[in-house]
Amino acid sequence: VNQILLLLLVLTVCAILYNKVHQVPLALRNETVDLESPEEMEEEIPVVICAAAGRMGATVAAISSIYSNTEANVLFYIVGLKTTIPHIRKWIENSKLKEIKFKVVEFNPMVLKGKIRQDASRPELLQPLNFVRFYLPLLIQKHEKVIYLDDDVIVQGDIQELYDTKLAPGHAAAFSDDCDLPSTHEMVRSVGMQNTYMGFLDYRRQAIRDLGISPSTCSFNPGVIVANMTEWKHQRITKQLEKWMQRNVEENLYSSTLGGGVATSPMLIVFHGKYSSINPMWHIRHLGWSPDARYSEQFLQEAKLLHWNGRYKPWDYPSVHTDLWENWFIPDPSGKFKLTRPDS
């Protein structure tokens, strides 16, 4: 009799527990199912862009154009110096960009000590933030793939397309070739811009000739980069770039009087023959090389990314195609940054 009573008691307890489990609220049951079979998380797209003193309007316009033209999950890494960070943070948090996902990263210019040869001809090219692209793995820790953009760009396409750029095995980065798009060749000729290694490296120097790179080799532009962080670290790209910076200090292998100043040249050396290509329409450049030379409006409408590389920036005067840039500019709430226009 005791055994029968014990069995009945066990069955009763089991029945009570069974009922309790199956009376769990629907929302909680659904959450449990989701945890057991989670949907694939939306991939985060990290975009690195600098915020330099006097150029923060460029940073804001670039971010605004990216954010407005994509549904992707973009995380902006905004890199600045200690003195500029409060300004850019306030600008974002007090404008319509307050909805973006972003992290502010401080760049320590001391990492460049002894690695930059002073050159008075174009001092703006020696600003510390020009070299942020050399140190991507030190600034961005958790991402396998990263997009780096110069601040003087606007994005008219979906940044997801650029992020989906395929990198060949063993390549740490993808760039745009300076010879890749026939539509830009006339612009290059009209403004006298160099698009070969001859325009960036001093071939009178033995160290440059010893590289065995033909001076007629087509150059690339590192203002837009899709980078593989694993390969970058594995190949010690940062160390290689620093080596050539230090050699330039000692031997003057390239200077800011040449085409790309001091930031492009070491990248041309380190990545020679070891990079993948970005779709040409994702880097239409040379808009800042002349205040007169212009692309056709139809061509610019088709472009995915516009780059005002050169001296003539769209927030200054004179410049070309400023209307396309101003579409994305957001005024500075503090009033410190102002556009330079003929009537201002």
Side-chain angles (χ1 to χ4, degrees):
V1 173
N2 289 339
Q3 288 178 341
I4 293 172
L5 291 174
L6 181 60
L7 180 60
L8 290 173
L9 180 61
V10 170
L11 290 174
T12 302
V13 171
C14 288
I16 293 171
L17 290 175
Y18 178 86
N19 286 331
K20 282 187 176 293
V21 168
H22 284 266
Q23 289 173 3
V24 173
L26 181 62
L28 187 55
R29 283 213 307 267
N30 285 343
E31 184 177 332
T32 303
V33 170
D34 287 344
L35 289 173
E36 291 174 355
S37 305
E39 295 182 1
E40 187 176 347
M41 293 290 288
E42 185 181 10
E43 188 172 16
E44 201 168 56
I45 298 178
V47 175
V48 179
I49 190 165
C50 295
R55 298 171 61 108
M56 290 189 198
T59 306
V60 166
I63 292 174
S64 172
S65 68
I66 295 166
Y67 181 66
S68 301
N69 286 305
T70 187
E71 296 295 326
N73 181 22
V74 180
L75 172 59
F76 293 97
Y77 284 86
I78 303 172
V79 186
L81 302 180
K82 187 175 183 179
T83 54
T84 62
I85 285 175
H87 186 186
I88 193 66
R89 185 186 293 277
K90 183 178 179 181
W91 197 331
I92 290 172
E93 293 177 348
N94 289 277
S95 72
K96 65 181 182 181
L97 293 180
K98 62 187 177 184
E99 303 298 329
I100 70 170
K101 291 173 58 180
F102 74 100
K103 293 183 180 180
V104 175
V105 181
E106 181 182 342
F107 183 69
N108 185 354
M110 289 304 295
V111 301
L112 302 173
K113 188 176 181 179
K115 301 182 182 73
I116 301 176
R117 169 183 282 272
Q118 296 303 312
D119 194 320
S121 60
R122 291 194 67 186
E124 74 276 10
L125 297 177
L126 303 178
Q127 295 301 314
L129 295 181
N130 282 343
F131 302 92
V132 161
R133 71 198 90 188
F134 289 16
Y135 296 94
L136 292 177
L138 302 182
L139 300 168
I140 312 301
Q141 301 293 332
K142 66 174 185 175
H143 301 282
E144 168 73 10
K145 196 175 186 182
V146 171
I147 293 173
Y148 166 87
L149 299 177
D150 276 354
D151 59 4
D152 51 355
V153 308
I154 61 164
V155 173
Q156 301 185 137
D158 187 340
I159 198 72
Q160 180 75 55
E161 293 179 26
L162 180 60
Y163 185 75
D164 290 341
T165 298
K166 301 296 184 185
L167 274 68
H171 285 178
F175 305 98
S176 293
D177 287 315
D178 284 328
C179 309
D180 58 8
L181 200 61
S183 303
T184 67
H185 293 173
E186 183 178 347
M187 171 74 84
V188 170
R189 287 193 298 270
S190 67
V191 301
M193 183 176 175
Q194 295 289 336
N195 61 1
T196 66
Y197 272 57
M198 175 66 83
F200 297 87
L201 305 178
D202 189 346
Y203 276 83
R204 296 172 299 177
R205 307 294 180 183
Q206 188 61 45
I208 297 300
R209 295 198 299 272
D210 287 345
L211 291 170
I213 302 173
S214 169
S216 63
T217 301
C218 186
S219 54
F220 60 80
N221 187 299
V224 176
I225 307 173
V226 181
N228 180 312
M229 293 293 91
T230 299
E231 280 295 336
W232 193 292
K233 289 182 281 190
H234 175 70
Q235 297 179 33
R236 298 170 61 84
I237 296 295
T238 298
K239 290 294 183 184
Q240 292 188 58
L241 292 168
E242 287 185 326
K243 181 190 81 170
W244 284 102
M245 292 170 73
Q246 289 169 330
R247 288 199 66 174
N248 183 55
V249 170
E250 299 162 2
E251 305 173 47
N252 197 21
L253 304 176
Y254 46 86
S255 76
S256 58
T257 58
L258 295 172
V262 293
T264 298
S265 300
M267 299 197 85
L268 291 177
I269 295 172
V270 170
F271 284 101
H272 173 252
K274 295 184 293 184
Y275 66 92
S276 298
S277 295
I278 290 173
N279 180 335
M281 295 305 288
W282 266 100
H283 195 177
I284 302 304
R285 46 212 179 276
H286 316 320
L287 277 75
W289 273 86
S290 168
D292 303 310
R294 303 174 67 91
Y295 288 112
S296 74
E297 292 302 322
Q298 180 180 351
F299 177 68
L300 292 177
Q301 292 298 327
E302 295 171 355
K304 303 290 188 178
L305 181 148
L306 302 177
H307 187 184
W308 278 262
N309 57 312
R311 297 173 185 263
Y312 302 98
K313 304 301 186 185
W315 55 91
D316 282 334
Y317 179 84
S319 184
V320 296
H321 304 298
T322 54
D323 54 325
L324 293 174
W325 183 85
E326 280 194 50
N327 284 339
W328 307 108
F329 174 68
I330 299 171
D332 182 0
S334 73
K336 295 178 183 176
F337 182 94
K338 293 182 174 64
L339 302 181
T340 302
R341 293 295 179 256
D343 54 352
S344 64

